[in-house]
Amino acid sequence: ASNFRPFETNAIRLESGQNARVDITLSVGATEQVEVTAVSPILQTADAVVGEVISGTTIERMPLNGRNFSQLSLLLPGVITTEPDSFTQPKNFGSGRPFVNGQREQSNNYTLDGVDMNEPIDNLLPYQPSPDALAEVRVETNNYSAEFGNVAGAVIGSTIKSGTNEYHGAAFEYWRDSSMAANSWENNRAGATKAELEQHIFGATIGGPIIENKLFFFGDYQSFLRDRPSELVRSVDVAAHAGTTWG
């Protein structure tokens, strides 16, 4: 406005689900220009949510076995799992969910771009986004807003990347084979051979402009092939089953 000094600041980045407040004081006078070249971190003063945002850079650099992004929630305090192997699956086959602040694994709420992403019977995760397609993951473990019902554990919200004014893309394949793995403790104890496994996880991402500065696109694809013969190792009391023939 006329008769007020200009005020200029560098870009302020908002994270997923963040409410930020920036107080700007306009002073009378037009001869001076106030320019802020460094902005301190924006404090969350609008609510008392306990949680953290895991950035795209962290997602890309974390060694996620099975490319299961749910492993990222284990980086936060109060989040544990009793089955680490359940987080190594490319898809959620009924496990791979964290225990948050003592709650059961069914007590978490997953969202994707703000849309509910939970299987209704046992609160399973029906879709595993490719880590290459994620801009960030926000994990709220306590005091989250009333808009997030359904849970007593964590709210785990994923945000898909968007296109930019430049074309960006990537292609990947992750190969896993039993020839490069050790035998499990259970198999060694029972004298059983190592389980066979051959797994390929592959895909690509692409994004770019449709109308510069106005309209963008982004797409991703991921699939996996797995060859793993089924087996089960169990121990029985031989003396208690004398005379029994096992087939």
Side-chain angles (χ1 to χ4, degrees):
S2 60
N3 299 325
F4 284 91
R5 297 175 184 174
F7 182 94
E8 182 178 347
T9 181
N10 60 338
I12 298 174
R13 177 181 175 84
L14 284 179
E15 297 176 333
S16 175
Q18 180 183 11
N19 295 320
R21 179 187 175 106
V22 180
D23 295 318
I24 297 174
T25 302
L26 294 181
S27 303
V28 177
T31 59
E32 295 184 20
Q33 178 174 338
V34 178
E35 181 177 351
V36 179
T37 58
V39 177
S40 58
I42 302 298
L43 297 178
Q44 183 73 292
T45 59
D47 53 52
V49 173
V50 179
E52 187 62 68
V53 172
I54 302 170
S55 67
T57 302
T58 301
I59 296 173
E60 292 176 1
R61 296 178 179 178
M62 288 294 293
L64 302 178
N65 187 2
R67 293 176 60 77
N68 186 327
F69 85 99
S70 293
Q71 299 175 57
L72 297 169
S73 62
L74 300 175
L75 298 174
L76 273 70
V79 182
I80 66 167
T81 179
T82 58
E83 298 179 87
D85 287 346
S86 66
F87 284 85
T88 63
Q89 305 292 337
K91 287 189 176 182
N92 192 327
F93 293 107
S95 55
R97 294 169 293 175
F99 297 82
V100 181
N101 295 330
Q103 301 295 326
R104 298 183 64 179
E105 58 182 347
Q106 292 90 350
S107 298
N108 301 310
N109 184 22
Y110 285 88
T111 64
L112 180 64
D113 288 340
V115 179
D116 184 89
M117 188 174 61
N118 300 280
E119 181 269 341
I121 297 177
D122 194 37
N123 237 33
L124 300 176
L125 181 60
Y127 172 61
Q128 282 279 12
S130 168
D132 286 56
L134 292 176
E136 58 187 25
V137 176
R138 184 177 184 87
V139 183
E140 300 180 355
T141 59
N142 209 337
N143 292 342
Y144 26 75
S145 170
E147 66 182 294
F148 300 110
N150 181 44
V151 301
V155 176
I156 303 174
S158 307
T159 303
I160 296 292
K161 293 178 179 178
S162 61
T164 65
N165 281 329
E166 297 181 356
Y167 290 98
H168 292 279
F172 58 86
E173 178 176 1
Y174 295 88
W175 172 66
R176 183 180 173 189
D177 191 87
S178 54
S179 62
M180 304 179 68
N183 202 1
S184 68
W185 181 88
E186 293 86 353
N187 283 3
N188 282 332
R189 179 173 180 270
T193 58
K194 181 170 57 178
E196 297 182 9
L197 170 66
E198 184 176 0
Q199 176 177 284
H200 297 268
I201 305 176
F202 53 91
T205 63
I206 182 68
I210 298 177
I211 301 176
E212 189 173 352
N213 294 326
K214 293 184 178 180
L215 186 62
F216 312 93
F217 77 93
F218 180 84
D220 75 282
Y221 171 80
Q222 176 174 286
S223 185
F224 76 99
L225 300 174
R226 171 184 289 176
D227 182 8
R228 185 175 189 176
S230 177
E231 67 173 30
L232 186 64
V233 176
R234 287 292 182 265
S235 299
V236 297
D237 187 345
V238 178
H241 296 86
T244 302
T245 300
W246 299 89

